[in-house]
């Protein structure tokens, strides 16, 4: 959905607020389903009363456009305004993982164009009718069931948004590094490449030939490129860390902490040699 950003209020590089780059990744792909207390099927079955075969809409709130006409024609239009709206959840699609919701009327009821209640997700013996202007397919992260804890749902949305921002920032980081020039960099030494080539060619059951040599040439180019990229990455990280105010819009990847073993190799060898059935 669109984000309305006024040109006069756009954050600058020096600001430590939201990134200056627009968000282009959909929020639903970062949704964590572990926050859910019910399965989609269980949510839909809440509309089925004991002893009844007619399933009613499940009450909830969904983030929907206020203009239903433009909302269906161009859901990403900058002219649209999205608000949390009272809805009745009609159905769920397993393939797309989307919920079908219907906006309630002024009386808080879910009715069709003729004022009749919508039951069983709007599916009749003839099948499902075309979507009404007030009906939408939405993702779970944009749908709050009234039967769930709103605080948990808020944490779910915040978690998805945080992961999306981090992912987009890392994608931009790798783009910066990939776009850095490699001219003038110290390439990997021929001695190191020679050792790699020797180990690769002397692999058992590998016969030398034109096809193998062609592939070795391709692999050598990849190794050179990876080496040069690693050198650029080191230089880029050093510059970003030295000028955090200037590069406040750059997010560096998290460094993996090295795990120090509790015991050294000697203790490990002693433990293996003392194990039953093992002889060295």
């Amino acid at each position: 959905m669109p984000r309305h950003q006024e040109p006069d209020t756009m954050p600058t590089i020096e600001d430590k607020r939201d990134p200056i780059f627009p968000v282009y990744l959909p929020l639903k792909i970062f949704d964590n389903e572990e926050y859910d207390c019910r399965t989609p099927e269980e949510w839909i079955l809440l509309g089925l009363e004991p002893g009844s075969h007619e399933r009613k809409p499940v009450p909830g709130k969904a983030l929907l456009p206020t203009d239903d006409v433009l909302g269906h024609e161009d859901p990403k239009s900058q002219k649209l305004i999205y608000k949390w709206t009272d809805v009745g959840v009609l159905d769920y699609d397993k393939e797309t993982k989307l919920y079908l919701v219907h906006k309630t009327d002024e009386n808080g009821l879910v009715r069709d164009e003729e004022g009749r209640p919508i039951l069983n997700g709007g599916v009749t013996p003839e099948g499902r009718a075309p979507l009404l202007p007030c009906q939408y397919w939405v993702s779970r992260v944009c749908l709050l069931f009234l039967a769930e804890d709103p605080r948990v749902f808020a944490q779910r949305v915040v978690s998805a948004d945080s992961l999306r921002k981090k992912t987009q920032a890392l994608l931009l980081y790798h783009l910066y590094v990939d776009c850095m020039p490699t001219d003038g960099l110290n390439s990997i030494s021929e001695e190191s490449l020679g050792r790699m080539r020797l180990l690769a060619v002397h692999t058992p059951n590998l016969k030398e030939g034109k096809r193998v040599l062609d592939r070795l040439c391709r692999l050598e180019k990849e190794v050179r490129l990876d080496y040069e990229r690693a050198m650029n990455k080191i230089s880029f990280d050093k510059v970003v860390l030295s000028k955090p105010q200037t590069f406040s819009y750059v997010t560096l990847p998290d460094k993996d902490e090295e795990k120090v073993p509790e015991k050294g190799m000697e203790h490990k060898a002693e433990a293996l040699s003392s194990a039953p059935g093992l002889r060295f």
Side-chain angles (χ1 to χ4, degrees), residues 32-55:
N32 185 358
E33 297 179 355
E34 295 295 326
Y35 281 98
D36 226 330
C37 58
R38 292 182 176 88
T39 64
E41 293 75 17
E42 290 173 342
W43 281 118
I44 297 301
L45 288 178
L46 289 180
L48 190 62
E49 296 181 353
S52 175
H53 298 287
E54 294 182 341
R55 179 167 51 83

Side-chain angles (χ1 to χ4, degrees), residues 28-40 43 92 94 96-99 140-141 148 152 156 159-160:
K28 63 181 181 181
I29 64 176
F30 301 97
D31 184 27
N32 185 358
E33 297 179 355
E34 295 295 326
Y35 281 98
D36 226 330
C37 58
R38 292 182 176 88
T39 64
W43 281 118
Y92 174 75
K94 292 182 179 180
T96 60
K97 293 187 176 182
L98 298 177
Y99 291 84
R140 181 65 175 90
V141 74
E148 68 176 311
V152 176
R156 180 176 189 164
S159 175

Side-chain angles (χ1 to χ4, degrees), residues 69-278:
V69 176
L70 184 59
H72 285 286
E73 292 179 354
D74 187 8
K76 295 183 179 180
S77 172
Q78 291 292 331
K79 298 179 181 179
L80 280 176
I81 297 177
Y82 280 75
K83 290 185 178 180
W84 288 97
T85 309
D86 292 331
V87 298
V89 184
L90 303 179
D91 211 344
Y92 174 75
D93 190 326
K94 292 182 179 180
E95 294 184 2
T96 60
K97 293 187 176 182
L98 298 177
Y99 291 84
L100 178 61
V101 300
H102 184 114
K103 288 184 178 180
T104 60
D105 58 16
E106 60 275 6
N107 298 319
L109 303 175
V110 177
R111 296 290 185 267
D112 60 13
E113 293 176 325
E114 299 180 2
R116 296 174 299 185
I118 298 180
L119 303 174
N120 300 318
V123 179
T124 63
E126 293 78 21
R128 187 190 301 279
L131 289 184
L132 296 175
C134 58
Q135 293 179 344
Y136 295 86
W137 288 98
V138 299
S139 60
R140 181 65 175 90
V141 74
C142 295
L143 173 62
L144 165 67
F145 286 97
L146 297 188
E148 68 176 311
D149 189 342
R151 295 169 298 180
V152 176
F153 180 78
Q155 294 175 1
R156 180 176 189 164
V157 176
V158 171
S159 175
D161 183 60
S162 176
L163 182 58
R164 177 173 64 175
K165 289 180 179 178
K166 182 178 181 179
T167 302
Q168 179 166 317
L170 290 179
L171 288 174
L172 290 172
Y173 166 82
H174 289 290
L175 177 62
Y176 300 149
V177 176
D178 290 337
C179 292
M180 292 178 65
T182 57
D183 299 338
L185 289 177
N186 293 329
S187 184
I188 188 171
S189 65
E190 292 297 331
E191 182 181 355
S192 299
L193 272 178
R195 290 198 299 268
M196 297 179 193
R197 191 185 304 111
L198 184 64
L199 292 173
V201 172
H202 285 75
T203 302
N205 300 326
L206 180 63
K207 297 180 180 179
E208 290 192 33
K210 185 177 183 304
R211 192 174 180 182
V212 175
L213 293 178
D214 290 341
R215 293 187 176 181
L216 278 177
C217 291
R218 295 178 187 176
L219 290 175
E220 286 182 11
K221 291 181 179 179
E222 290 186 17
V223 170
R224 292 180 187 275
L225 182 61
D226 287 341
Y227 181 88
E228 293 169 351
R229 187 184 187 279
M231 295 298 103
N232 276 337
K233 180 178 179 297
I234 294 173
S235 301
F236 183 72
D237 291 356
K238 185 177 180 180
V239 172
V240 171
L241 291 174
S242 63
K243 300 179 180 179
Q245 295 295 332
T246 305
F247 299 97
S248 60
Y249 60 93
V250 178
T251 300
L252 297 179
D254 297 332
K255 292 185 178 180
D256 297 331
E257 295 184 3
E258 297 183 1
K259 294 183 178 180
V260 180
E262 296 181 359
K263 296 183 178 180
M265 296 302 296
E266 295 182 0
H267 294 84
K268 186 176 181 181
E270 293 177 1
L272 290 174
S273 62
S274 61
L278 293 178

